[in-house]
Amino acid sequence: QLNNETLKQFKLILVGPDDYFYQKLKACVIKKNLQDKIIFYGPANDEQLVVLYKQAIALINPSLMEGFGLPGLEAMAVGCPVICSKIEVFEEIYGRAVLYFNPMNIGDIRQKINKFLTMKEKEKQDLINLGKVQAERYSWKRCAKETAEVYEDCFNL
């Protein structure tokens, strides 16, 4: 269990478009006087995302619904551990390479983040290594190779 003093060293960085939901989050942060703990980064390009992933302790994605889950794979590819919702698409794409939580249960989210932060370094490194292997399964190079093979098979009919 982490104490409040330990938690004070961490900041939450939210990345995304400055849309309706972002504005609602900003208002909530101000209302709860958490401006010193939460950074609203705004939109980020690919290069900025790589820097953010590399400097992050972990990517936390409490999504309820996704089409694919590219941010998690991007994070894993550069060695950023992922803690995310236990939803079908994430389980299919990420496999065992992440820590899952129930996105409807704040206590479970807190518990999984706490579990990650208190893991031994070897356990964290094992999770990072699993993530890199998992991300390799979805590389653009591999996608292009498999697509080319499909075209070749079509021409060889």
Side-chain angles (χ1 to χ4, degrees), residues 11-82:
K11 290 191 187 281
L12 178 63
I13 300 174
L14 299 174
V15 178
D18 196 1
D19 60 12
Y20 171 79
F21 299 105
Y22 213 65
Q23 291 300 317
K24 294 215 31 125
L25 280 171
K26 283 181 178 179
C28 184
V29 165
I30 291 167
K31 182 178 178 183
K32 294 185 179 271
N33 197 27
L34 295 170
Q35 299 93 314
D36 63 329
K37 302 304 302 162
I38 299 174
I39 297 168
F40 289 89
Y41 188 89
N45 64 35
D46 291 343
E47 292 81 21
Q48 291 167 321
L49 284 173
V50 169
V51 171
L52 288 165
Y53 292 140
K54 284 184 175 183
Q55 293 181 357
I57 294 167
L59 170 71
I60 302 171
N61 190 344
S63 183
L64 298 175
M65 182 174 37
E66 289 289 334
F68 184 74
L70 189 58
L73 288 175
E74 292 171 336
M76 285 185 242
V78 297
C80 179
V82 176

